[in-house]
Amino acid sequence: MQKPIEAMSGAINELVIYQNPLLFLKVWELKRNSVLIGNWHHHKEVEFVAVDCGHMVMYTKRETVPLADGDVFLIGSSQLHRTDRPSANPIRYVVLQVSLTQYLDQSTLPFLHGFSELTNPLDDLNYIFRTDPDARREAHRLVMHIFAEMQTKRRGYEMAIAISVRSLMLLLVRCDKRALLKGSDDVEIIRLKPVLNYVDAHIAEKISVHDVCRLLNLSYHYFVKYFKKVMGVTFLDYVNFKRIKLAEGMLLTRDLSIAEIGCSVGIPNVAQFYKMFRRYNPCSPKEFRLRLREGSGGEGEAGEE
């Protein structure tokens, strides 16, 4: 189908309010019995749409995709999209908005490049759901399971949701026949392990490329190229990424001032800390702390699809 031709000017930059500050996601159900035309919008979080019953149309900058019972659609971070339901037939679908980078840890480092969408948007992985019925069914089940766990909040629901999010990530990796999420070679990651450990141990200090070059006995220029090839990001970007992710956790769990947290993650200049924080978040550190500590403020249809 052809792309939608409507103007995308005035698209909404949606601020996603997480339902649990430690899970970095929002999941909710939409039921409709009337014609719906959504507004163009985008958000930092990755989005999964799982249709339970009915028909709808998903528009992105590149394509127009009809969705029906059992279908799943993936929208990458900050990608423009909107939905349309041209008929008045009932529809029910679940929307999961999640910051996948928050689920990256040592075990997923080989796939940092792909899930961080540094070169390709995750939208490109929708071919999996179109060509692999088993993967589509499993993705649909996982999204619905995350929604059910968030609704019931049974003991341990945080663990159940975190496991399901990582299962979604694993599903994408294993079903990606085109290797869009191709990870780095284990041997290469192991070779960089002393550098990665050094960053973790000295995150509050000044870290220079020359310091880590000596760990591997590599020249400056070779190390810079090698690290970028293996990790998919520059060494400086990796360090900044780790610092901001650590700061996000501290903002939620530590009773420290913004300046103290900046110092704790190796960015003592408050202005620089704010600037760096905004590279990874659509808000300031203070706004991040207040927004997540206050909770979702309701789970209705804010930011309608």
Side-chain angles (χ1 to χ4, degrees):
M1 299 179 70
Q2 294 182 342
K3 301 179 191 177
I5 60 175
E6 306 98 313
M8 298 181 191
S9 60
I12 300 169
N13 183 1
E14 181 182 333
L15 186 62
V16 175
I17 307 300
Y18 301 137
Q19 291 157 317
N20 183 309
L22 299 180
L23 289 175
F24 297 92
L25 61 79
K26 177 180 179 181
V27 58
W28 76 101
E29 178 187 65
L30 283 169
K31 295 180 180 179
R32 294 288 185 180
N33 291 301
S34 59
V35 176
L36 168 68
I37 299 178
N39 296 319
W40 284 105
H41 62 286
H42 59 95
H43 37 74
K44 178 177 66 72
E45 290 73 16
V46 169
E47 179 169 308
F48 291 86
V49 175
V51 182
D52 196 43
C53 65
H55 295 78
M56 62 187 292
V57 180
M58 177 66 70
Y59 293 97
T60 70
K61 291 187 297 182
R62 296 184 294 175
E63 59 182 344
T64 300
V65 182
L67 302 174
D69 305 18
D71 281 340
V72 176
F73 194 81
L74 171 59
I75 301 154
S77 173
S78 300
Q79 299 298 308
L80 278 169
H81 60 285
R82 75 171 183 84
T83 54
D84 188 1
R85 194 167 66 84
S87 74
N89 294 326
I91 185 171
R92 174 182 179 267
Y93 61 100
V94 169
V95 178
L96 167 64
Q97 296 170 331
V98 56
S99 177
L100 291 183
T101 55
Q102 296 291 345
Y103 289 83
L104 293 172
D105 54 23
Q106 295 296 325
S107 66
T108 52
L109 276 179
F111 299 95
L112 172 66
H113 187 201
F115 283 115
S116 296
E117 301 184 83
L118 296 170
T119 54
N120 298 307
L122 287 177
D123 303 40
D124 292 345
L125 295 175
N126 278 304
Y127 83 88
I128 295 173
F129 304 136
R130 297 184 185 121
T131 60
D132 189 335
D134 291 336
R136 182 172 63 248
R137 280 191 291 271
E138 179 62 8
H140 192 280
R141 184 192 71 79
L142 287 168
V143 173
M144 291 297 178
H145 175 70
I146 291 170
F147 171 68
E149 288 287 347
M150 186 61 78
Q151 289 296 107
T152 60
K153 288 185 169 63
R154 293 187 298 166
R155 185 181 182 190
Y157 80 96
E158 299 94 340
M159 294 173 60
I161 288 176
I163 290 170
S164 291
V165 170
R166 289 192 168 92
S167 294
L168 270 174
M169 297 169 74
L170 177 61
L171 179 72
L172 293 174
V173 169
R174 289 193 168 171
C175 297
D176 178 22
K177 306 303 181 184
R178 300 178 186 176
L180 301 179
L181 287 174
K182 183 180 179 181
S184 303
D185 186 86
D186 289 344
V187 174
E188 294 178 321
I189 290 290
I190 291 172
R191 187 183 183 188
L192 284 178
K193 200 69 168 63
V195 172
L196 305 181
N197 290 340
Y198 181 89
V199 171
D200 288 339
H202 297 82
I203 199 71
E205 306 166 19
K206 181 178 179 180
I207 300 175
S208 74
V209 177
H210 293 288
D211 292 335
V212 295
C213 284
R214 286 192 284 270
L215 292 174
L216 301 183
N217 196 27
L218 297 176
S219 70
Y220 177 93
H221 294 292
Y222 182 85
F223 171 79
V224 168
K225 291 181 180 179
Y226 183 71
F227 191 93
K228 176 71 179 293
K229 179 177 79 74
V230 176
M231 300 301 293
V233 295
T234 67
F235 178 70
L236 179 60
D237 284 341
Y238 174 78
V239 172
N240 288 333
F241 175 82
K242 293 285 287 186
R243 281 176 166 156
I244 296 306
K245 293 308 156 190
L246 178 59
E248 290 173 354
M250 294 178 70
L251 284 165
L252 298 177
T253 60
R254 302 286 298 277
D255 188 21
L256 298 173
S257 69
I258 302 299
E260 288 173 325
I261 290 176
C263 287
S264 298
V265 300
I267 313 177
N269 184 297
V270 176
Q272 181 64 22
F273 178 56
Y274 267 72
K275 181 179 179 181
M276 187 62 63
F277 194 88
R278 284 185 176 276
R279 282 185 56 184
Y280 297 91
N281 293 280
C283 59
S284 70
K286 182 178 180 180
E287 292 167 338
F288 181 89
R289 169 181 272 170
L290 291 174
R291 176 162 59 92
L292 294 184
R293 284 187 172 179
E294 287 171 356
S296 66
E299 298 178 14
E301 297 173 1
E304 290 180 352
E305 293 301 302

